[in-house]
Amino acid sequence: MSLVIELILIGGFFVLYPIFGGLTYRGQQRAIRAGRISRWRLYNEILLAEWAATLLVVGYWILEGLSWRELGLTGPWNRATAIAWVLALVAVGALAAQVLIGRHKDEWRRQVRSQLDAVDGLMPTSRSESLGFTAVAFTAGFCEEVLYRGFLFWWLQHLGLGTIAAAAGTVIFFGAAHLYQGWLGGLRAAAAGVFLIALTVLAGSLWPAIVLHVLGDLVSGWTARVARAEPTPSPA
């Protein structure tokens, strides 16, 4: 019975939901650009779907009496964990530095704006939308780590795959889930997935990856707003 429930969760979260999202996202993005729906509607749909999926996994975990450490929500504190935290914070600092340095450069702004086409429906354009995007960033950072680097990674290992093979599986599924952003967006997500699963394995818990995911998404929203805004003159 447990295997049946796990297969339903895996099929729903990592196959059907990404396919449904990919089929509907472009229509939603066109509707947002045309002003027929708001970004808040898309944000609310993301919040509902990801928290529902995460709570179902947590409920299954409780019913089965599984260890939170197996899900990655608890873990050791040792030298490897400290290194994982340092790497996560350095990565966030590097992302933020790119924005701080690039915001005065027209070429950087043009490149960012050209990359925004695939995710324009998600990126905030006002202070109100920024609040919604912040909620999405915290939700995605926590829920997607629990689902992909926690539950899916555990399940693939539970099937008998080794650590490297299971980690590769999470990368493939995570990249595929972002194909609604186009092939380049899917590849970027897969590359991020490599770093996130490496942090998780190194730390022995999800928390460094969760913090990096949340802050990375927040920096992405900030990047979009900076790239769209009028350039600020560089100091003499």
Side-chain angles (χ1 to χ4, degrees), residues 28-46:
Q28 290 175 316
Q29 182 159 273
R30 287 193 297 270
I32 289 170
R33 286 172 174 168
R36 295 194 300 273
I37 64 173
S38 69
R39 284 179 173 80
W40 268 99
R41 176 174 165 179
L42 181 56
Y43 295 160
N44 287 333
E45 290 176 3
I46 294 170

Side-chain angles (χ1 to χ4, degrees), residues 4 12 20 25 55 160 180 188 208 221:
V4 173
F20 175 78
Y25 174 71
L55 290 174
Y180 69 90
R188 286 199 192 99

